[in-house]
Amino acid sequence: MKFINILPLVALSNAFVLPEQQVFSQLTVESHRSADSAFNKLPSKDQLVEKIEHSFEKLSGEFNHAVHCSKHALDSAIDFAAEAGNDVSKKVRKTGFEAASWIDSTAHLGSNDHHHNEPNQTIYQLISTSKYTTKLAAAINEYPDLVVLLNGTIANYTVFAPIDSAFDKIPDKAPKPSKEFLKNILLYHVSPDYYPAAKVLVTHTVPTALTVDTVGIGPQRVSTNIGLKGLTVNFYSRIIAIDIFGTNGVIHGIDSLLIPPPNVVDIIQFLPGEFSTLELGLTKTGLLPIINDTSTHVGGTIFAPSNFAFQKLGPKVTGFLFSSYGQKYLKALLEYHVVANQTLYSDAYYAADSVDNTDIPKGTFHIDLPTLLEGKSLGVNVARYGRLIVIRINGFSQVTIEDGIAADGVIQVVSDVLIPPKRIDRMEQHYQGEELTVEDLKERLEPLVEIVEM
C-alpha cells in the first residue's frame, strides 16, 4: 500500500482514543477525540512478526521468572513492568503501525499460563493485598457481592485491574458518581471468561460482567487494540502488566480506569474531526434523534463514513445531497448505513431477539443485516485469522476502524459511503467504487426515496 493512501487513515486509526482529561471530567460521559500520530515507516508483515513475537516471548520469559520467584505476584508484576520499561510497547511504538494493519502474530504462541508454581490466592486476594491496587480494592470492598464474585470459583475470570495511579487521573472537581454507576464501572473491568495475554493479543473484543439493556441480550464489551501506545483496552487504557494468575482467573494491570461507553450519537458528536459531515447529515434528515432513542431499538450497528469518505464522493454529489432538493436522497442514503437490533462486533454478534449470542469463528463469516432503509440489507463478510480481521460490506467497502464500543451498539468506520445497488435487467448491481454522478445516485435512490415518502 502506498504511503499516500494511508495518510487519510492516520487520524481514523486513533479515532476512538479518549484523552484522559475528557474521560474523567465527567464520569457519566466518555469523550473521544483524535490523537496526532505519524507513520515514519510501515514495516512488512514479516518484520512485524519477528519484532513483536521476539519481544513478547522475551518479556514473557523474564516476567514469569520474576513473578514466580516472588511472594506477591501482582506486586512483582507491576514492579517488573516498571523496571523493564515495558519493552513490548517500546517495540510497537518504534515500529509505527496502526491497529487496522496488525498481524496474525500470536495465534501459534499458545497460552502463557504454564506457570512454574500453582497460584494460591484468588483474584480478590491478589488485588486486596497488593500495594499497587489499594484504591481498586477499597472500591470493590464497597460491594460484598463483588467480593464474593472475585473470590468464587464459578468461572475463570479476567480482571483488567487499574493501578492506584489510574485513580489519580480523576480531577479533584469531578462529580462523585452514584453507587450504582461506580459498581457498573467495576463490573466493566471484569470478564467472566478467561483471557490470558496470548488470547488477548488475538482478540478484538472481550465480554464483561456489565450487562445493559441498550446493547441487546448480551454483556457490554471492551475492545483490545494494538497501536502506537502498545496494547490497550478501549484505545486509551494501556496494559502495563500481564498474566498475574490467581486460583480463579487472571489479572492484567492497566494504567487508566475503564469507563462504560456513551451512546453512538454521543461518540459521533465527540469526534467532529472525523464525523462532522455524518453528524450534519443525520441532523438535517432527522435521523439523529431516531438513532439516539433507545426505546425504539435494542442494540445496533452503524457503519459510519468518515469525513474523508464523504469527500471521495466529489463536490458535486456531496453538494447535491446536502442541498434542500437532495435532502430526501441523503436520508435514504444514511438509513442504508444504520442497522437496528443487531450488533455486529468484529468477533461477536448480538441479536436483540435471541439469547444465543454468536462468537464469530475464525475463517470467514457472512451475514446479511437489514438496514433502516426499507427492504435493503447490507451483505457483510468477516474474514478472521487471529488478530487480523477484515470486514467488507457488499464486497467492496472495507471497515477501516473496528469496534467503536458504544452503550447502545457499535460503530464500524467504513472507507466509503455505502451506495445502494441498482437494478439492471432484474439483477442488482452493487457499487464498486466507480465514478458516481448525481444522475447515477438519483437513479439508485429514486425508488427508495419513493418508498420513504409513502
Side-chain angles (χ1 to χ4, degrees):
M1 181 183 293
K2 294 181 179 179
F3 184 71
I4 193 171
N5 294 329
I6 296 171
L7 284 176
L9 304 181
V10 171
L12 281 178
S13 70
N14 292 288
F16 300 105
V17 171
L18 289 122
E20 285 149 5
Q21 289 183 347
Q22 288 181 291
V23 172
F24 299 116
S25 60
Q26 293 183 352
L27 285 180
T28 56
V29 177
E30 251 193 332
S31 171
H32 298 61
R33 76 179 181 192
S34 297
D36 294 331
S37 64
F39 297 126
N40 297 321
K41 176 182 176 183
L42 285 177
S44 68
K45 177 176 176 178
D46 291 340
Q47 289 173 317
L48 286 175
V49 171
E50 182 180 355
K51 288 185 177 182
I52 303 304
E53 285 187 2
H54 175 73
S55 298
F56 180 75
E57 290 173 344
K58 180 181 177 182
L59 181 63
S60 296
E62 294 174 355
F63 172 83
N64 284 333
H65 176 74
V67 167
H68 298 308
C69 291
S70 70
K71 293 181 179 180
H72 195 283
L74 184 52
D75 284 356
S76 293
I78 304 298
D79 286 336
F80 179 81
E83 292 169 4
N86 207 339
D87 186 56
V88 168
S89 293
K90 286 183 177 179
K91 290 286 187 181
V92 170
R93 287 195 292 272
K94 287 180 181 178
T95 304
F97 63 98
E98 57 174 310
S101 64
W102 181 235
I103 48 173
D104 182 14
S105 62
T106 54
H108 63 282
L109 292 180
S111 174
N112 191 34
D113 60 356
H114 302 293
H115 21 284
H116 302 149
N117 300 318
E118 289 299 319
N120 58 8
Q121 290 181 299
T122 66
I123 286 176
Y124 171 76
Q125 288 171 334
L126 286 168
I127 292 172
S128 63
T129 57
S130 170
K131 63 183 179 182
Y132 291 107
T133 53
T134 60
K135 295 179 180 180
L136 176 60
I140 293 172
N141 287 338
E142 293 290 319
Y143 305 92
D145 56 331
L146 289 184
V147 175
V148 172
L149 177 75
L150 298 180
N151 265 325
T153 56
I154 296 176
N156 268 325
Y157 301 100
T158 302
V159 176
F160 296 98
I163 59 176
D164 286 347
S165 60
F167 290 83
D168 295 338
K169 296 177 182 179
I170 302 174
D172 295 335
K173 295 182 180 180
K176 185 177 181 179
S178 67
K179 192 165 184 178
E180 178 184 5
F181 186 69
L182 180 56
K183 184 176 183 179
N184 286 343
I185 292 176
L186 295 174
L187 288 171
Y188 195 52
H189 290 76
V190 179
S191 174
D193 297 331
Y194 185 58
Y195 282 85
K199 187 176 179 182
V200 171
L201 281 170
V202 294
T203 300
H204 275 223
T205 68
V206 175
T208 73
L210 175 61
T211 57
V212 290
D213 296 334
T214 53
V215 81
I217 306 174
Q220 184 57 273
R221 303 178 83 87
V222 296
S223 66
T224 67
N225 325 101
I226 298 178
L228 301 183
K229 289 182 69 175
L231 180 60
T232 60
V233 183
N234 282 1
F235 294 91
Y236 66 90
S237 185
R238 192 163 60 93
I239 294 180
I240 59 173
I242 58 171
D243 286 352
I244 303 103
F245 294 100
T247 57
N248 60 343
V250 62
I251 299 171
H252 306 300
I254 56 176
D255 69 353
S256 295
L257 281 166
L258 302 175
I259 308 299
N263 287 352
V264 163
V265 165
D266 293 328
I267 295 175
I268 291 173
Q269 292 176 328
F270 287 150
L271 289 167
E274 310 304 335
F275 299 127
S276 59
T277 310
L278 175 61
E279 181 189 358
L280 177 62
L282 293 173
T283 302
K284 285 176 68 71
T285 58
L287 290 174
L288 199 72
I290 293 174
I291 295 173
N292 203 36
D293 184 1
T294 55
S295 68
T296 61
H297 62 91
V298 179
T301 307
I302 180 165
F303 293 94
S306 66
N307 292 339
F308 178 69
F310 278 100
Q311 290 175 14
K312 289 165 70 174
L313 291 177
K316 290 183 179 180
V317 172
T318 304
F320 166 74
L321 286 171
F322 284 86
S323 68
S324 56
Y325 180 74
Q327 186 169 315
K328 59 185 180 181
Y329 297 95
L330 177 63
K331 182 176 182 179
L333 185 65
L334 293 180
E335 285 179 329
Y336 191 58
H337 291 73
V338 181
V339 176
N341 301 313
Q342 298 187 56
T343 306
L344 182 69
Y345 304 95
S346 59
D347 52 9
Y349 167 69
Y350 294 174
D353 57 356
S354 174
V355 296
D356 297 324
N357 298 309
T358 302
D359 288 332
I360 293 177
K362 294 179 182 179
T364 58
F365 175 84
H366 176 84
I367 188 168
D368 293 313
L369 297 176
T371 69
L372 294 188
L373 187 59
E374 186 176 348
K376 291 297 177 181
S377 297
L378 297 171
V380 181
N381 291 302
V382 182
R384 183 180 176 212
Y385 304 96
R387 184 78 198 176
L388 178 64
I389 293 180
V390 177
I391 305 174
R392 291 192 182 276
I393 301 95
N394 293 342
F396 167 66
S397 184
Q398 185 169 330
V399 172
T400 54
I401 303 296
E402 303 98 352
D403 303 322
I405 305 291
D408 55 346
V410 67
I411 297 174
Q412 307 288 4
V413 183
V414 289
S415 58
D416 299 270
V417 174
L418 305 178
I419 307 297
K422 63 180 179 181
R423 284 195 167 274
I424 298 179
D425 296 331
R426 298 183 181 181
M427 297 289 291
E428 283 195 340
Q429 184 182 77
H430 284 284
Y431 176 72
Q432 296 294 316
E434 62 270 17
E435 184 177 354
L436 192 68
T437 65
V438 172
E439 290 70 26
D440 185 37
L441 182 66
K442 288 173 65 176
E443 180 185 350
R444 290 172 180 270
L445 292 175
E446 195 70 52
L448 308 174
V449 168
E450 292 173 357
I451 293 175
V452 171
E453 292 180 327
M454 293 174 59

